[in-house]
Amino acid sequence: MSEYANKKTRGAFIAAVFAMQGIGILAGGFVALAVSSIFDKQFPSPTYAEDRVLSTPPQADYIWRIIVMFGALPAALTYYWRMKMPETARYTALVAKNIKQATQDMSKVLQVELEMEERAEDIVKDPRLNYGLFSKEFLKRHGLPLLGCTSTWFLLDIAFYSQNLFQKDIFSAIGWIPKAATMNAIHEVFKIARAQTLIALCSTVPGYWFTVAFIDIMGRFAIQLMGFFMMTVFMFAIAFPYNHWIKPDNRIGFVVMYSLTFFFANFGPNATTFIVPAEIFPARLRSTCHGISAATGKAGAIVGAFGFLYAAQPQDKTKTDAGYPPGIGVKNSLIMLGVINFIGMLFTFLVPEPKGKSLEELSGETEVEK
C-alpha cells in the first residue's frame, strides 16, 4: 500500500489497511458469541458449583475449534486476492530492474497509459544507491531510524499484549465476568467474548479509525508521541489507585480508564509503528526492514504475554493461579507498563516524520552523490 499510495494520503491508506485488524477483532468476537450461544442452547449444562464434571459438556471441545477454524476463511481469501495483485512498480523497477514491466503494471493499476522514464533507468543503474542491509552506508543513512522503529514496536507490544492478559482480572473486578463457580464452560466463553467485544467496539476500533482520519493532518510522530504519553498517563492513573478502582462503586470509571489506554494505543503507536517502517526505507530493503521491526515487536509480545503472566501473579503465594510462583501483582505490573510506555515515548524521537514526503525523499533513493 505504501508503494501504491500518493504522498498526501499515504498515511491514511496504510492506516486503513491496519485498521481492518479492528474489524477482524470484532468479527472474531461475534463468531465466539454466536458459536457459544448456539452450543449453550443445544447442550445446556449445570454450573461448576453444581457439577464440576458436567459443567464442561463433551461438545464444548468443538467450540474453540470452530472459532479458530473460522480464521482460515479470511486467510484463504487473502491468499487468493494477493496472488491476483501485480508486484509494486518500485520493487519491479528498483530491485528486479525491469522498468518496462513496472510501467506496464502501473498502467494496469492506474488504468492509464504510461511512458517509460529514462531517469528511472539512471537510478536503477547507479551502484552508489545499491548499498546492502549490513553496509556502513545503510547504518549511516538508516541505522537510527531502524533502531527507532524496532525499539518502539518492541516496547509498544510489551504493553499492548500485557493489557490483554490483565483483562480477566479487570473484567472480574468490575463484575463483567462472574465468579467461575457460578458459570459453566460455555457461559464462560460467552461472557469473556462479550467483554472483549465491548472493549473493542468502544475503544480499540475507534482508535484505529481516528488514526486514519488524522494521520496526514497531525503526522506520524505527533500521533505516536501522544499515544505513548496518554498510555503512560492512563496506566499510572489505573495503577497507583488500583485498590480504589476495583471497588464496586468505581467500576464505570475503571472501564473508562482501561478503555482509554486501548484507544490511545490504536490512535497512537500500535498504528504508527506499523506505518512508518513501510515508508522510510529504500524499496529494495523496505519489506526487510519492516519485517525486522515487526519481528522485534513480536519479541515484545512474547515478553508481554509470558513475562507479565508471571509478573501479575499476587505476591501472596496462597492466592496465585495453580502452577505459578508469586509475582509482583497487577498493580505493580501496571506501574511497570507505564514506565515501558514512557521509554517508548523517548525512543519515538529517533523516528523521522514521513508526512508529506515521497518515498524517494524519505529513503534518499533519488540522491546521486557526485
Side-chain angles (χ1 to χ4, degrees):
M1 181 54 72
S2 68
E3 295 189 356
Y4 277 121
N6 65 75
K7 64 184 181 181
K8 290 183 179 179
T9 57
R10 186 179 61 237
F13 273 64
I14 305 173
V17 171
F18 191 61
M20 294 307 293
Q21 186 180 75
I23 305 301
I25 291 170
L26 285 179
F30 291 140
V31 167
L33 290 170
V35 172
S36 58
S37 296
I38 292 169
F39 272 74
D40 186 41
K41 288 182 179 180
Q42 293 295 319
F43 309 104
S45 307
T47 65
Y48 184 81
E50 293 171 342
D51 192 315
R52 293 186 177 187
V53 176
L54 294 180
S55 66
T56 304
Q59 296 84 357
D61 189 50
Y62 291 101
I63 294 176
W64 71 269
R65 298 176 189 275
I66 293 170
I67 293 169
V68 170
M69 283 193 292
F70 262 93
L73 297 178
L77 293 173
T78 300
Y79 179 81
Y80 172 77
W81 281 320
R82 181 63 188 89
M83 295 302 292
K84 305 292 285 186
M85 289 172 59
E87 188 53 82
T88 62
R90 283 182 172 90
Y91 181 89
T92 304
L94 299 173
V95 183
K97 296 180 171 56
N98 190 339
I99 301 296
K100 183 178 180 181
Q101 185 63 49
T103 305
Q104 290 175 352
D105 289 342
M106 285 305 294
S107 295
K108 290 179 182 178
V109 172
L110 299 176
Q111 297 181 341
V112 294
E113 287 296 323
L114 298 175
E115 295 182 2
M116 189 174 73
E117 293 184 6
E118 294 299 323
R119 175 61 181 152
E121 291 276 17
D122 296 336
I123 296 171
V124 171
K125 292 177 181 178
D126 195 302
R128 288 167 291 185
L129 293 176
N130 289 330
Y131 52 85
L133 180 66
F134 300 104
S135 65
K136 291 182 179 178
E137 188 67 21
F138 177 86
L139 186 64
K140 183 177 75 174
R141 287 172 177 254
H142 307 292
L144 285 178
L146 182 59
L147 175 61
C149 290
T150 53
S151 59
T152 52
W153 205 333
F154 174 77
L155 294 165
L156 176 275
D157 274 10
I158 292 176
F160 189 78
Y161 285 90
S162 296
Q163 280 178 282
N164 290 318
L165 291 175
F166 297 136
Q167 284 185 352
K168 68 179 181 66
D169 300 301
I170 290 170
F171 293 156
S172 297
I174 62 178
W176 280 13
I177 299 177
K179 291 184 178 181
T182 65
M183 300 182 289
N184 61 41
I186 300 175
H187 289 160
E188 190 169 3
V189 173
F190 181 86
K191 297 282 187 181
I192 292 172
R194 185 184 65 176
Q196 290 178 329
T197 303
L198 283 171
I199 290 291
L201 196 60
C202 298
S203 63
T204 307
V205 174
Y208 284 119
W209 292 101
F210 264 70
T211 300
V212 174
F214 291 102
I215 192 165
D216 287 312
I217 299 171
M218 296 174 61
R220 289 70 159 158
F221 177 81
I223 288 178
Q224 183 162 311
L225 198 67
M226 174 196 68
F228 268 127
F229 175 76
M230 297 304 291
M231 287 175 71
T232 303
V233 169
F234 287 116
M235 283 283 191
F236 286 151
I238 291 172
F240 286 110
Y242 183 73
N243 294 328
H244 164 80
W245 290 120
I246 61 176
K247 293 178 181 178
D249 292 342
N250 303 318
R251 287 174 178 174
I252 295 176
F254 194 0
V255 173
V256 171
M257 299 287 278
Y258 184 66
S259 297
L260 284 171
T261 60
F262 273 102
F263 175 81
F264 282 106
N266 292 314
F267 184 31
N270 195 37
T272 54
T273 52
F274 174 85
I275 295 166
V276 174
E279 298 181 294
I280 64 175
F281 298 108
R284 67 189 176 282
L285 299 172
R286 183 170 292 121
S287 293
T288 301
C289 292
H290 194 280
I292 291 170
S293 301
T296 310
K298 296 319 114 185
I302 293 171
V303 173
F306 289 99
F308 281 87
L309 190 61
Y310 285 86
Q313 294 296 319
Q315 293 174 311
D316 183 351
K317 63 181 181 180
T318 63
K319 297 181 180 179
T320 60
D321 293 338
Y324 288 92
I328 59 175
V330 174
K331 177 178 179 177
N332 292 329
S333 296
L334 289 170
I335 292 172
M336 189 182 297
L337 290 176
V339 173
I340 288 171
N341 285 321
F342 179 76
I343 297 171
M345 186 173 67
L346 298 179
F347 273 99
T348 296
F349 287 94
L350 296 177
V351 182
E353 174 55 75
K355 175 187 170 186
K357 297 179 182 178
S358 71
L359 297 180
E360 286 70 30
E361 287 179 83
L362 291 164
S363 64
E365 285 173 293
T366 56
E367 296 174 13
V368 180
E369 299 174 4
K370 304 298 182 182

